[in-house]
Amino acid sequence: MENLEQVHLQVKEIFYPPEDIKKECIVQDYESMYKKSIENPEEFWSEVASQLHWFQKWDKVLEWNFPYAKWFVNGKTNITYNCLDANIEKGRRNKVAYISVDEEGNEKKLTYGELLEQVNRLANGLKSLGVSKGDRVSIYMPNTVEAVISMLACARIGAIHSVVFAGFSEGALKLRINDAKAKVVITATYTKRRGKKIPLLPIVKEAIYDLDFVKNVIVWDRDRELEESEFSKKFVSFEELIKTSSPYFNPEVMDSEDPLFILYTSGTTGKPKGVLHTVGGYMVNTYLTTKTVFNIKEDTVYWCTADIGWITGHSYIVYGPLLNGTTIVMMEGVPVYPHPGIWWEYVDKYRVNVFYTAPTAIRMLMRFGDEIPAKYDLSSLKILGSVGEPINPEAWLWYYKNIGRGKAVVVDTWWQTETGAHMITTLPCYPAKPGKAGKPLFGVVPDIVDKEGNSLPPNTIGHLVIKKPWPSMLRTCWGEPERYEKYWKEIPGNVYSAGDLATIDEDGYIMILGRADDVLSVAGHRIGNAEVESAIIEHPAVAEAAVIGKPNEIKGESIKAFVVLKEGYTPSAELVEEIKETVKEVLGAIAVPDEIEFVDKLPKTRSGKIMRRVLRAKELGQELGDISTLED
Ligand code: ATP
Ligand code: MG
């Protein structure tokens, strides 16, 4: 790979944080703090972990037995103690923890005191059903605070939660319940999307009918529409369970390495993996990353638009923000209903300071035009986050200008279900480069290497690896330890292979170019699919693009692009030429797609990531592979 020439998107502009934001940054001196985290990890992580509550202090920060790590060895804690009780001890009993809103503007607010009480009640309820430490509980719930209460109640008693996105079909749900051998499933009668009720309970019933190990289904009967007869020994009412159980509960004393949850990856590259996270390290790193990346202050209002069914929801709707005692907005519904300004309406209404979303949503909202966000007062925003895919510079700039109005910083956070927490991003205290994620966070030692594990010089495309264990790393893949070990054995040198390709520039900024499987090789040039897509999106008519490589006898691979146009544009031969011209200007002739096909939409995972392997398989007439996580 190293002798292939590189084709590179040039990100010219550098964006410095506005003075008022810089002044307020919790981390002022990234370089020295990072240096300490690498040179003296024992001391660094001890200091961070000491900011949290432990029933018993750890003996040793890290025990590394390749490829298995133990963090905060013999430490005893309960993550919910830190999410709830500790905040109340710090005087936050009456502070709002969650503002849970739906598409119609209905809101439910819960203070830290109220949240603790609800969690305790459900924890007692779960115990009364016979759930105990180490048992698995599947959660198939709408993106509302009731889902959060369910997760925390599990963690409170030491049960392992496995949240399944409520958009999944019966088959995908069954697979996950079965894989985890869940004793209990927590669900609701329905979830809301685009003003419609999407039933959940019937799907659960279908999924579990022959799974004998499922002892109970706890049902949140949202509109109290179920008949008495629909409840039984097996089907229990969520609200009754909460109402009739005691509000006091002593959190289970958990070992730092006890499992906290299983979560399946989003399945962009193949069959999802059941990633297992443990209590201590996950707690410490979600606490630290939320605090430093989003610069959480006592009065911060924070909104992450993810769904709790994804890792972003786990780490940055639930655990990270609660560990920092912040006020969290969460929403059930889609970004375009009842109108495409609904998110900005809520940012305005709740005076949101930190807003965290995905490039797919930004690109979608861009299509509706600049006039929509312009109608709202977005001046409360200070930090705008992005996650899930490389953010195209075009979308980055739109986000920065039209949402941040040039007064907020954009943080492009690279991480994975497996990493548990942010790994690479800029921090609000130092300048950002659109399209480049930024520098490694504390304790993270990345490198860009060839297949043999040799470090590559700056601006050379290679495999992104992490060379040292980090606290929130996955501990295994549920029931498939060989899949876990594969991450560490893919590339020589005892490093974690992320499966993404990247480059690093002279200033140490890392740019993610896409999945290793997606990157193109054209006439001896390595070209990141994300780079070509970003170049295509620079054309004003283009909303979204996905490129794939097709085998080509002469060039190795030829490039085919699938393009979605913005509202008001129609496909034409001229547009094809113009788009090709744009790519030529931005990246050079070598990256110009040989074929451009206009489509209405792109195949995506339910978490919104483009599934290029599906496009490629269809194009080449091959088997589609695992498509259980395909949107539709
Ligand atoms: P699977 O591993 O099953 O194929 P997945 O990788 O899509 O699913 P996630 O763990 O949700 O599941 O996604 C992590 C991946 O998302 C990363 O490996 C990377 O490809 C992409 N990603 C996340 N954040 C960013 C970002 N800020 N910039 C670029 N890519 C990102
Ligand atoms: Mg992955």
Side-chain angles (χ1 to χ4, degrees), residues 47-67:
E47 277 173 22
V48 179
S50 299
Q51 294 167 32
L52 298 162
H53 172 273
W54 298 78
F55 299 114
Q56 179 188 303
K57 206 184 154 191
W58 56 93
D59 302 331
K60 212 173 149 196
V61 165
L62 170 66
E63 212 174 87
W64 179 223
N65 201 341
F66 177 84

Side-chain angles (χ1 to χ4, degrees), residues 265-273 311 386-391 412-418 437 498 500 512 514-515 607 609:
T265 56
S266 62
T268 313
T269 56
K271 183 175 165 264
K273 289 150 266 192
I311 189 67
S386 173
V387 61
E389 284 185 289
I391 177 164
D412 173 9
T413 61
W414 177 87
W415 59 297
Q416 308 176 301
T417 310
E418 296 89 336
D500 287 343
I512 312 295
R515 313 286 182 149
S607 58
K609 294 168 197 266

Side-chain angles (χ1 to χ4, degrees), residues 155 165 169 224 259 303 323 356 359 410 423 486 494 591 597 631:
F165 173 55
S169 64
R224 294 170 195 277
W303 182 10
L323 290 166
Y356 190 28
V410 175
M423 299 291 276
K486 206 169 159 230
N494 292 2
E597 183 177 331
E631 201 172 38

Side-chain angles (χ1 to χ4, degrees), residues 5 8 15 22 41 113 126 136 237 267 280 319 364 436 494 604 616 621:
E5 277 181 61
H8 244 327
F15 290 81
K22 194 164 184 236
L126 285 169
R136 275 81 56 205
S237 156
Y319 293 110
M364 172 170 47
K436 296 193 174 180
N494 292 2
K604 290 186 183 165
R616 197 180 307 117

